Amino acid sequence: MSAEGGLSQEEAFARIRLLRSPNVGPVTYGHLMARFGSGMAALAALPDIAGRKGRTYTAAPERRIHDEIAALRKAGARYLFHDSPDYPRLLAESEGAPPILTYRGDIALASRPCVAMVGARNASAAAIRLSREIAHDLAGAGWAVVSGLARGIDGAAHHGALAGGATIGVIASGIDISYPPEHAALQEEIAVKGLLLAEQPPGTEPLARHFPTRNRIISGLAAGTLVVEAAPRSGSLITARLAGEMGREVMAIPGSPVDPRSHGCNQLIRDGAILVQGAADVIELLSGFTGDPRSSFREVALDWGASELAEEAGDPADVGALLTTAPVGVDELIRQSGVSAASVQLALLELELAGQLVRHAGGRVSIG
């Protein structure tokens, strides 16, 4: 394995292995990196941390990581680590940002102003045409159009943006898996002419649980999300909700009240989304967007404070006693426990590595 993003081969390998290890998700990865300073040190510490809760812990097998790297190289893809200069700034600001992505194509596109376009898979012909036109005009104006390569609106947005300029495709599978099958040629074109991103390891089939995480990447990359056509409780509305929670703009194209495919967009507008009718409206709305200067990974580092050993100021065992199956905010745990933030984070880290903690959206946790 060659070095990635200025990292040594050993550190890059350790980071991949760390993230693929049991009970290590993006938040836990961030805390481990902030506490120990490197993937190699964090990986070495995992058995001891989990052992404090009486569990034997085994990290991801090295052979598995070697096989993953070989599959990635075969696909012509590369790794992108959270502290790389090429890591998208807006995505880094989002909660639970993926610590490691894989990609094919021009990674510089992710640093352009981005706008997400999502919508119904069974979209109307009029919505398909409108999506192509808007995406074409946005790309022509210098915006990178982000979508998820799904049927319907997603595919139309990618096609329009490819014709006008640039597009970014975010997939729920491994970088070497095409889904849906009919978009195999489109996915390859995006990888060659634009940028293709995946969070899952190579060889991973697109499972239902992967799509919400893909949606958070789509919304996290973009200054705003435009929903062109969507039914209530659709995946597109999840993407829009995530965008709103991140402080990004949510936009929607209004539609006929008699068409169920328009109900989601009309509901978004009723709930405060911005009504737009074309690319010019989107550009005007987003032109002044600068984002939040904070980074989720920097915030994690601050949680530990200047002293990594602050847990000695209190008893981390008290934190576990405060948890139930009902999600509670970490800030609330800090207030109720009376110990330092670092102590609370250490206790949660021990519980999670032992398989006893569940993390929820909004920085909430519960007993697993």
Side-chain angles (χ1 to χ4, degrees):
M1 176 184 178
S2 60
E4 299 272 359
L7 299 175
S8 69
Q9 295 181 18
E10 293 79 9
E11 175 63 13
F13 187 93
R15 291 186 181 193
I16 299 165
R17 189 181 177 204
L18 177 66
L19 188 60
R20 306 301 186 228
S21 292
N23 303 319
V24 178
V27 174
T28 299
Y29 177 99
H31 286 307
L32 287 167
M33 290 294 293
R35 180 169 174 76
F36 295 101
S38 72
M40 297 171 67
L43 194 64
L46 287 182
D48 178 63
I49 296 173
R52 298 175 193 177
K53 294 298 178 183
R55 295 290 184 92
T56 300
Y57 188 91
T58 303
E62 290 189 11
R63 181 71 262 167
R64 174 183 161 195
I65 307 307
H66 283 298
D67 290 344
E68 174 183 327
I69 294 168
L72 190 85
R73 297 299 185 229
K74 184 178 180 181
R78 296 178 63 86
Y79 287 105
L80 180 67
F81 294 91
H82 74 272
D83 52 359
S84 166
D86 291 325
Y87 195 94
R89 181 181 64 84
L90 288 185
L91 183 60
E93 293 172 8
S94 63
E95 179 186 342
I100 302 174
L101 290 165
T102 63
Y103 72 93
R104 291 180 61 198
D106 183 4
I107 192 61
L109 293 179
S111 297
R112 283 194 190 181
C114 293
V115 58
M117 287 185 62
V118 295
R121 286 173 170 79
N122 63 333
S124 66
I128 292 288
R129 184 182 68 253
L130 182 61
S131 296
R132 282 178 178 263
E133 292 173 354
I134 292 176
H136 178 276
D137 293 346
L138 287 170
W143 290 78
V145 176
V146 185
S147 199
L149 271 154
R151 302 176 182 92
I153 298 301
D154 287 25
H158 286 307
H159 280 297
L162 282 168
T167 192
I168 300 173
V170 185
I171 55 178
S173 61
I175 199 77
D176 54 346
I177 303 293
S178 296
Y179 184 84
E182 61 265 36
H183 278 177
L186 174 60
Q187 183 167 317
E188 182 62 23
E189 186 177 5
I190 292 172
V192 172
K193 298 180 180 179
L195 175 63
L196 185 68
L197 293 172
E199 181 180 13
Q200 302 303 322
T204 304
E205 295 292 338
L207 303 178
R209 67 175 182 270
H210 297 155
F211 286 91
T213 60
R214 177 207 63 173
N215 292 346
R216 92 175 189 279
I217 297 173
I218 292 172
S219 56
L221 284 165
T225 293
L226 171 61
V227 185
V228 178
E229 202 171 58
R233 293 187 294 275
S234 67
S236 301
L237 297 192
I238 294 176
T239 308
R241 175 179 58 80
L242 291 168
E245 291 175 353
M246 294 174 189
R248 316 295 170 80
E249 295 288 356
V250 178
M251 302 161 285
I253 301 287
S256 170
V258 300
D259 187 343
R261 292 170 296 194
S262 296
H263 290 180
C265 288
N266 293 343
Q267 175 185 319
L268 284 174
I269 294 169
R270 183 195 63 195
D271 293 341
I274 305 299
L275 187 158
V276 299
Q277 300 181 85
D281 295 338
V282 176
I283 294 169
E284 180 182 3
L285 182 63
L286 299 182
S287 60
F289 183 87
T290 58
D292 188 329
R294 297 173 299 171
S295 161
S296 60
F297 285 99
R298 287 198 296 272
E299 288 176 358
V300 163
L302 290 173
D303 283 343
W304 288 106
S307 171
E308 294 179 348
L309 301 179
E311 67 269 13
E312 295 179 359
D315 183 4
D318 295 339
V319 177
L322 295 173
L323 291 170
T324 68
T325 55
V328 63
V330 175
D331 288 345
E332 182 63 23
L333 289 176
I334 294 170
R335 283 193 293 270
Q336 292 191 23
S337 67
V339 299
S340 68
S343 295
V344 172
Q345 295 293 359
L346 176 63
L348 297 179
L349 192 59
E350 293 172 357
L351 288 167
E352 186 166 21
L353 291 178
Q356 299 171 10
L357 185 81
V358 177
R359 292 191 185 272
H360 304 269
R364 298 174 301 150
V365 294
S366 68
I367 286 293

